[in-house]
Amino acid sequence: MQDALYDPTAAKRPANLSVNSDLLRHARELHINLSQTLEEGLVQILRQKRGEAWLRDNREALDAYNAHIERDGVFSDGLRSF
């Protein structure tokens, strides 16, 4: 299933970056694809930041739901045999 985090088919654009020269040297020695590595890292950071934002935006509803469950239990409480 395609992740709706970003459009992986979008055109590539050049970007100017500053990188520690020794880190860049080591990466080049190991033939690390810098563009791919940056994109993979950005995807991870986007997932993390969007997850944090979702939790922040929904904290009140989550707390209310958890309080309701603590107070009233869940629908299946009387039906479970385990």
Side-chain angles (χ1 to χ4, degrees):
M1 183 171 137
Q2 176 57 39
D3 193 322
L5 190 62
Y6 75 107
D7 178 5
T9 64
K12 304 255 185 193
R13 294 192 52 181
N16 292 325
L17 302 171
S18 297
V19 179
N20 176 288
S21 61
D22 193 45
L23 185 61
L24 183 59
R25 181 179 60 79
H26 286 291
R28 285 185 173 159
E29 286 173 359
L30 295 173
H31 306 286
I32 294 172
N33 181 324
L34 297 177
S35 295
Q36 179 182 2
T37 302
L38 173 63
E39 287 184 3
E40 290 170 356
L42 287 174
V43 166
Q44 290 178 0
I45 293 169
L46 283 172
R47 270 199 189 100
Q48 177 186 352
K49 295 292 185 182
R50 287 189 179 170
E52 291 169 359
W54 186 92
L55 284 174
R56 211 173 30 255
D57 293 346
N58 292 283
R59 175 57 47 206
E60 187 177 332
L62 292 167
D63 289 344
Y65 176 77
N66 288 333
H68 169 77
I69 297 303
E70 283 290 321
R71 184 181 64 246
D72 301 324
V74 294
F75 166 77
S76 64
D77 279 347
L79 303 174
R80 292 187 290 192
S81 61
F82 55 90

